[in-house]
Amino acid sequence: MEITITYSFPRKLFNFTLLLIWVSHLQATDQSFTNFIFGDSLVDVGNNNYLFTLSKADSSPYGIDFRPSNGQPTGRFTNGRTISDIVGEALGAKSATTPYLEPNTEVNTIHSGINYASGSAGIFDDTGLLFIGRVPLGEQVSYFEKSRGYMVRMIGENGTKEMLKKSMFTITIGSNDILNYIQPSIPFFSQDKLPTGVLQDSMVFHLTTHLKRLHELGARKFVVVGVGPLGCIPFARALNLIPAGKCSDQVNQIVRGYNMKLRHSLATLNTEYHNTTFVYANSYDLFLKLVLNYRQFGLENADKPCCGGYFPPFTCFKGPNQNSSQAACEDRSKFVFWDAYHPTEAANLIVAKALLDGDQTVATPFNIRYLNNL
């Protein structure tokens, strides 16, 4: 006698079961690149759009060459993609990371990561105070801790730990701390300046503290970007009356000292933490080479910003005729600098490619692509 047993599932329960199976399959097969990005305006993708701040890039012609937005400003402080955007694309990201402060972006945390960077932010909490709103690095790390809580609710503690072990954590910060240091003192906002060596040591100490906190939260693959040659940006050159074709060695000397100490600190962390890698990205030498030898890279101008003035107030904005892009140079692909502070997408492409595939003079102990494949 053959007995047949049938099960009757309520339709809603059946559909929900299928959904769980589908989500589990996606999580098992999705190899999308996941990146958690911390930093300043070099990698901000729109967090400052949601702050009351003087540091914004939410108006034209910012983003004029950013294809996903059809040339509309997104909050990126350049004409197109940031270095992090370009690296993400090369490593398989299905889309650019979304800003943490944008509403309803939590779901992206698990699949692609989140961007916490904020224009004018620094390692120190008081860096960028004149711009009013910004998210200092310590607060960015606290935001990540909240994101981690969301991950745990969605995929559990073990699932979160496994996902974070494979994810990349990119930190691009420190420029504003040094720029604030070199600027002339402003009444009521000025403080006694630290000796240069103390400034550098303090920056490294605080940054290292934040890296250790991220490690405690589960980060295992770090890319820490050194500060670029700030003495070569149009703002610093105008501030120090440096002629065309030259850089402020005084400013660059501060940067080099900081980068050297940062690199040493990261090497120490690599020996202290097992199953964790801290890559030092040598943006200083990369960008200095680009500025001094720009024609070798197919560029035509490494002095003037493509958009905005060469002297204060260095403003980059669209002119009164909203149908005209006259505020920006005609061929953005030929300029190193987009505005007085930030590189163009063309410059970002050159630096990103080197960080992805360069040798140990560019990234140590190895490049970003190698780190991603670990």
Side-chain angles (χ1 to χ4, degrees):
M1 179 177 179
E2 183 176 330
I3 300 174
T4 303
I5 301 175
T6 59
Y7 294 92
S8 177
F9 287 93
R11 181 175 296 274
K12 288 183 179 179
L13 178 61
F14 181 71
N15 290 341
F16 182 70
T17 303
L18 284 178
L19 177 63
L20 285 178
I21 294 171
W22 179 71
V23 170
S24 298
H25 174 73
L26 277 180
Q27 290 175 353
T29 59
D30 187 4
Q31 300 297 314
S32 178
F33 174 68
T34 303
N35 195 7
F36 295 95
I37 299 170
F38 306 80
D40 52 30
S41 57
L42 291 171
V43 287
D44 186 356
V45 296
N47 281 304
N48 277 26
N49 291 352
Y50 302 93
L51 300 175
F52 178 73
T53 178
L54 300 176
S55 179
K56 281 184 182 286
D58 60 350
S59 60
S60 184
Y62 285 96
I64 191 171
D65 298 306
F66 191 68
R67 291 182 182 177
S69 68
N70 294 315
Q72 296 303 305
T74 62
R76 287 167 171 79
F77 288 76
T78 184
N79 61 306
R81 292 168 292 174
T82 68
I83 290 175
S84 292
D85 290 329
I86 298 162
V87 167
E89 287 178 15
L91 296 180
K94 291 181 171 58
S95 61
T97 54
T98 50
Y100 174 82
L101 294 179
E102 182 178 303
N104 305 316
T105 58
E106 280 188 323
V107 67
N108 299 323
T109 306
I110 295 172
H111 297 293
S112 59
I114 289 286
N115 186 304
Y116 306 92
S118 172
S120 78
I123 297 170
F124 301 136
D125 287 348
D126 59 354
T127 292
L129 185 64
L130 283 174
F131 291 95
I132 309 174
R134 73 269 181 239
V135 185
L137 181 58
E139 193 172 346
Q140 293 179 32
V141 176
S142 295
Y143 283 164
F144 169 73
E145 190 168 9
K146 292 180 180 179
S147 296
R148 190 187 190 283
Y150 170 81
M151 294 179 233
V152 171
R153 294 194 299 274
M154 293 296 104
I155 59 176
E157 181 66 33
N158 290 336
T160 298
K161 286 181 178 178
E162 287 302 309
M163 194 206 81
L164 294 180
K165 282 199 304 189
K166 300 173 185 176
S167 303
M168 194 169 293
F169 288 74
T170 306
I171 298 92
T172 305
I173 203 158
S175 296
N176 290 317
D177 301 282
I178 294 176
L179 286 175
N180 281 196
Y181 181 79
I182 67 169
Q183 286 178 167
S185 297
I186 299 174
F188 306 110
F189 287 95
S190 61
Q191 298 176 344
D192 292 336
K193 289 192 176 182
L194 300 169
T196 300
V198 176
L199 169 77
Q200 296 162 342
D201 291 339
S202 185
M203 286 174 63
V204 171
F205 172 80
H206 283 85
L207 177 54
T208 301
T209 300
H210 295 312
L211 295 177
K212 289 179 177 179
R213 186 178 169 201
L214 285 172
H215 180 270
E216 290 175 0
L217 293 170
R220 294 296 181 266
K221 295 182 179 182
F222 292 85
V223 176
V224 184
V225 182
V227 175
L230 296 177
C232 301
I233 68 173
F235 168 78
R237 287 173 38 235
L239 198 66
N240 292 278
L241 303 177
I242 304 298
K246 303 289 184 181
C247 300
S248 169
D249 191 59
Q250 181 182 4
V251 175
N252 282 348
Q253 191 173 354
I254 298 172
V255 176
R256 287 195 300 270
Y258 164 72
N259 284 339
M260 181 181 68
K261 293 176 179 180
L262 173 61
R263 185 170 181 166
H264 177 75
S265 179
L266 296 179
T268 301
L269 290 176
N270 275 324
T271 62
E272 291 180 356
Y273 291 101
H274 300 293
N275 302 317
T276 302
T277 304
F278 296 85
V279 168
Y280 171 72
N282 185 6
S283 64
Y284 181 93
D285 286 344
L286 275 175
F287 208 82
L288 185 63
K289 181 179 179 182
L290 174 58
V291 169
L292 298 180
N293 305 283
Y294 59 94
R295 293 193 183 278
Q296 294 180 16
F297 294 92
L299 304 181
E300 295 177 359
N301 194 309
D303 289 319
K304 296 181 180 179
C306 169
C307 183
Y310 188 57
F311 295 100
F314 307 106
T315 308
C316 172
F317 58 86
K318 206 173 187 75
N321 179 1
Q322 293 299 309
N323 296 318
S324 168
S325 59
Q326 62 186 1
C329 58
E330 191 170 327
D331 190 349
R332 278 92 59 185
S333 68
K334 299 299 182 183
F335 276 66
V336 172
F337 294 103
W338 165 246
D339 60 17
Y341 303 89
H342 308 98
T344 58
E345 181 184 81
N348 285 338
L349 277 164
I350 294 166
V351 174
K353 185 178 185 305
L355 292 177
L356 273 165
D357 300 308
D359 59 22
Q360 289 188 332
T361 65
V362 170
T364 184
F366 33 68
N367 60 44
I368 293 177
R369 194 183 300 276
Y370 188 94
L371 175 68
N372 183 59
N373 292 332
L374 287 177

